Amino acid sequence: MGINGLLPRILPSAGRENYDLRALSDGLITLTSPSSTSAHHNNHDDGAGGDADSQSTNNSEPAAKKRKRWTRRKVRIAVDVNGWIARAAHGYGGSLMDERHLSYHGRAELRNEQHLQQQQHQQPEEDKEEEQENPAATNNNNNNNNEQIQIQNKQRVEYISKCISFVLQRIEFLRNECCALVLPVLDGTTPPCKRGAVRERSNRRKRAMEQRDEVAQSPPRPAAAAAAAETTTTAMEANNANNTEQEGEDDEAARTEAEVLRRISASKRAGTGKDYSMRRELLGELLKEFRKRSWPFVVAPYEADGQLAYLANTGAVDLVVTEDSDLIALGVPTLIYRLGGWNGSNAANRSGGGSNNFGSVQSTSSGNHLRGTMLHRRDLGSSHGINLLDFSDAMLATMFVAAGCDYCDSLKGIGIVTARNIVKRAFHGGEADEVAMCGSSLIREEPVLKVILNELFRSCHRDAREQVLPLDDPEKEEVRLAYERSFLAAIAMFRHPLVYDPVSGVHMIANDVCDGSTPVSISFRRDERILMQYGPYRDLVTRKEMLYKVIGAPFAPDTAKGIAEG
């Protein structure tokens, strides 16, 4: 999901807050080739074949009329649906919690069930046989279990329905209120270099799910104070005992409230937990709704980030709605963050917020759901929170990796500011600034990526430095090489993701420099030439068998088309 804390530094100054997407409802004016309608109108005449004079006039039309014309078209918006799914999955996570955790009676019932289960596991075989001979007790237990299973299934269905409605309502707002062509883009399978991060997130959801479902022990009751109140004889002693009892009850109520809030928070963090079948069912039902409405969509081969960037950089879409800051490093020209008040200081966030009406379209007006923060790639240099002036896409990708991202953990003690300073000095430090201003190519004594890696090793926390320094220590070479491999793989993931090309219907490497078959922009080629001065990175991005181990291997054309169509 990008660098933590980066968006609050960039968006307030570089972004355009509270931008209403309904301003795009009239469409965009673009240059297009002359349509065939003009030829169609020119062929209309009174006779069957027309006269020779009119034909000669049509053939001698000036070239100016055949030039491109300004036309109006609908705006094309790509949506990172995975962010909305994650928001709904965690926001509605309380729907999967057993409601008995929220009341005294329910918690007592859960404790009794746990106690009975422990007794059943501990009792000898003879007692189990006697219980089997007592059909009434067995039937009663089975009925209770069946009733609880039915409740859980009902919760599951309601949870999936709420998550799907959350996504569909927001897409409908974009389609209807903005009169836009909306293309939802979903994640495919996990790329090889991200499996560790996905595994860690899954473990965190599992731990939160365990906190959600654990049976709370009965809190201590103020029985001693009540007994003292009964045995005391003097009025003062009785009054003190009553006060003590009241304080004990207040403490118990406070502990109960804290426990309920903790459990609700854990249920939201858990989301679907490690229930992969529920996740698959949610995605399957969502795609079914897309097909029912005849809405186009694309399932990326791996990460949706790379697919969204490919569509935006090739002009297939005009802007991307997302909450992932990684798309900044991918060079997307126009991004929409915090749509509908995801977070931050948007007016949409201040109205209709709260957990009780989470995701409710009726809680706010449609205008608030269509307000967000627009960020143009060209405006990054105006950020006050962190200076990104003259940062190229290659510099941004390197900074993201150095500061820590989903593909590579940062070294201890390396944050956004430190990573930014190291990357700035390596690319444009000292003499580099003057040479860059003159438009000349900089001759570097050492490759930029090598300089950055060495500076990261020198600038990290003392505990981390002990494992990687000195740089000439052969015993610590393996630790440095392990981080370097992860570092270079993450940069390759940003620069060359595997994507689906809707035109050719095949999987391809974005900005492929292996064989030069893919068109690459001049600025990208210039940046890539700087990065490829470092031999290990050059070998990684120019050898497909090595690159596929990082970004994932492509599928056959028929399979690729089937994946894209869900």
Side-chain angles (χ1 to χ4, degrees):
M1 294 299 289
I3 303 177
N4 292 329
L6 179 64
L7 292 180
R9 292 173 177 263
I10 293 178
L11 295 183
S13 52
R16 184 177 176 183
E17 289 191 330
N18 291 321
Y19 181 82
D20 195 341
L21 289 183
R22 289 177 297 180
L24 303 174
S25 59
D26 291 334
L28 300 178
I29 299 177
T30 57
L31 277 173
T32 58
S33 301
S35 61
S36 60
T37 56
S38 59
H40 174 74
H41 291 301
N42 289 336
N43 290 334
H44 282 224
D45 54 345
D46 296 335
D51 52 41
D53 293 338
S54 63
Q55 290 181 5
S56 62
T57 303
N58 292 338
N59 293 332
S60 62
E61 280 186 352
K65 291 186 177 181
K66 297 181 180 180
R67 288 184 295 187
K68 291 184 177 181
R69 300 174 180 177
W70 292 101
T71 58
R72 187 183 298 275
R73 63 168 177 83
K74 290 185 176 182
V75 63
R76 298 187 292 257
I77 302 176
V79 178
D80 184 6
V81 177
N82 303 281
W84 287 353
I85 293 175
R87 183 186 179 189
H90 291 287
Y92 291 119
S95 302
L96 297 175
M97 181 177 59
D98 194 332
E99 294 181 355
R100 291 180 294 178
H101 289 292
L102 305 180
S103 64
Y104 287 106
H105 177 75
R107 287 192 291 272
E109 184 179 343
L110 288 171
R111 285 192 293 270
N112 291 334
E113 288 183 1
Q114 186 183 46
H115 182 64
L116 290 175
Q117 291 176 358
Q118 293 175 352
Q119 286 183 338
Q120 290 176 357
H121 288 298
Q122 296 175 358
Q123 66 182 353
E125 294 295 332
E126 294 80 3
D127 294 342
K128 292 182 179 180
E129 293 177 357
E130 291 179 0
E131 284 190 358
Q132 293 177 356
E133 294 176 357
N134 187 1
T138 304
N139 292 335
N140 188 22
N141 292 333
N142 292 336
N143 291 335
N144 292 335
N145 293 334
N146 293 334
E147 182 180 355
Q148 190 59 34
I149 291 174
Q150 291 177 358
I151 294 175
Q152 292 175 355
N153 291 336
K154 182 179 179 181
Q155 288 178 334
R156 179 190 181 108
V157 172
E158 292 178 351
Y159 173 79
I160 293 176
S161 177
K162 289 178 180 178
C163 293
I164 292 175
S165 298
F166 180 89
V167 175
L168 295 178
Q169 287 168 347
R170 276 144 185 81
I171 295 178
E172 286 177 349
F173 271 128
L174 289 174
R175 292 175 61 90
N176 299 333
E177 299 292 333
C178 299
C179 300
L181 302 175
V182 182
L183 179 66
V185 180
L186 297 93
D187 277 331
T189 187
T190 304
C193 66
K194 193 181 177 181
R195 288 170 183 166
V198 172
R199 192 179 303 112
E200 176 59 28
R201 290 178 184 174
S202 178
N203 292 334
R204 287 200 299 266
R205 289 195 300 268
K206 180 182 178 182
R207 290 192 294 269
M209 185 175 63
E210 292 173 351
Q211 295 177 3
R212 178 193 70 188
D213 297 334
E214 67 181 356
V215 178
Q217 300 300 320
S218 178
R221 303 288 294 181
E230 294 177 359
T231 55
T232 53
T233 55
T234 63
M236 183 177 294
E237 290 177 348
N239 186 29
N240 291 337
N242 290 332
N243 291 337
T244 304
E245 182 178 4
Q246 183 64 35
E247 290 176 0
E249 291 178 355
D250 293 341
D251 292 341
E252 181 184 352
R255 286 194 302 270
T256 302
E257 183 179 1
E259 170 64 20
V260 170
L261 294 176
R262 184 192 68 84
R263 196 176 294 276
I264 293 175
S265 176
S267 66
K268 291 186 176 182
R269 292 196 310 272
T272 58
K274 296 199 72 171
D275 193 345
Y276 297 107
S277 63
M278 182 186 299
R279 224 170 302 171
R280 287 193 295 268
E281 184 178 353
L282 195 159
L283 291 174
E285 291 296 326
L286 182 61
L287 296 182
K288 189 183 298 182
E289 292 294 331
F290 286 166
R291 296 188 185 97
K292 186 186 301 182
R293 290 167 168 78
S294 299
W295 288 354
F297 64 89
V298 172
V299 179
Y302 292 97
E303 286 278 271
D305 300 347
Q307 184 70 43
L308 290 163
Y310 176 75
L311 295 172
N313 292 329
T314 56
V317 297
D318 300 309
L319 56 91
V320 175
V321 175
T322 183
E323 288 304 316
D324 195 342
S325 62
D326 282 345
L327 273 84
I328 297 176
L330 288 163
V332 176
T334 306
L335 295 165
I336 298 292
Y337 285 104
R338 301 173 176 173
L339 185 66
W342 183 293
N343 49 33
S345 59
N346 283 347
N349 189 47
R350 293 191 294 268
S351 60
S355 58
N356 293 333
N357 55 0
F358 173 82
S360 176
V361 177
Q362 290 77 16
S363 61
T364 59
S365 65
S366 61
N368 285 336
H369 284 287
L370 295 174
R371 292 181 182 272
T373 301
M374 178 178 285
L375 178 65
H376 292 289
R377 171 65 180 86
R378 62 177 182 267
D379 294 336
L380 283 178
S382 61
S383 171
H384 296 164
I386 181 170
N387 186 6
L388 299 178
L389 187 64
D390 295 332
F391 261 61
S392 64
D393 291 342
M395 295 174 67
L396 287 172
T398 308
M399 184 191 75
F400 271 58
V401 176
C405 60
D406 291 341
Y407 313 125
C408 176
D409 293 332
S410 65
L411 294 172
K412 185 178 180 181
I414 301 296
I416 303 174
V417 177
T418 303
R420 180 261 170 204
N421 294 336
I422 292 175
V423 172
K424 178 72 172 180
R425 287 195 300 266
F427 277 87
H428 297 313
E431 298 177 357
D433 286 332
E434 301 177 1
V435 177
M437 292 176 64
C438 298
S440 304
S441 60
L442 178 65
I443 300 177
R444 297 175 173 85
E445 296 181 356
E446 204 170 11
V448 168
L449 290 179
K450 185 64 176 178
V451 173
I452 292 174
L453 285 168
N454 290 341
E455 285 299 315
L456 289 173
F457 293 145
R458 296 189 185 101
S459 304
C460 61
H461 190 269
R462 181 179 64 253
D463 297 340
R465 286 201 301 268
E466 293 176 355
Q467 301 178 16
V468 296
L469 294 181
L471 295 175
D472 56 356
D473 189 349
E475 296 181 356
K476 301 176 181 179
E477 183 69 16
E478 185 60 33
V479 179
R480 293 194 296 269
L481 286 177
Y483 177 76
E484 178 182 308
R485 286 191 292 267
S486 178
F487 185 88
L488 298 180
I491 296 179
M493 191 70 197
F494 276 111
R495 303 283 289 172
H496 305 282
L498 193 79
V499 298
Y500 174 76
D501 182 29
V503 177
S504 60
V506 298
H507 287 165
M508 57 183 293
I509 300 174
N511 307 311
D512 189 6
V513 294
C514 295
D515 50 16
S517 60
T518 306
V520 179
S521 65
I522 297 175
S523 60
F524 185 93
R525 192 178 298 277
R526 181 178 62 248
D527 290 343
E528 196 68 7
R529 191 179 296 117
I530 296 174
L531 298 177
M532 289 173 62
Q533 291 177 358
Y534 190 48
Y537 179 79
R538 181 176 62 251
D539 295 339
L540 176 61
V541 298
T542 56
R543 298 180 182 178
K544 288 188 176 181
E545 65 276 5
M546 295 179 61
L547 189 58
Y548 288 157
K549 294 179 180 179
V550 173
I551 65 175
F555 295 89
D558 293 340
T559 306
K561 185 177 180 181
I563 293 174
E565 295 176 353

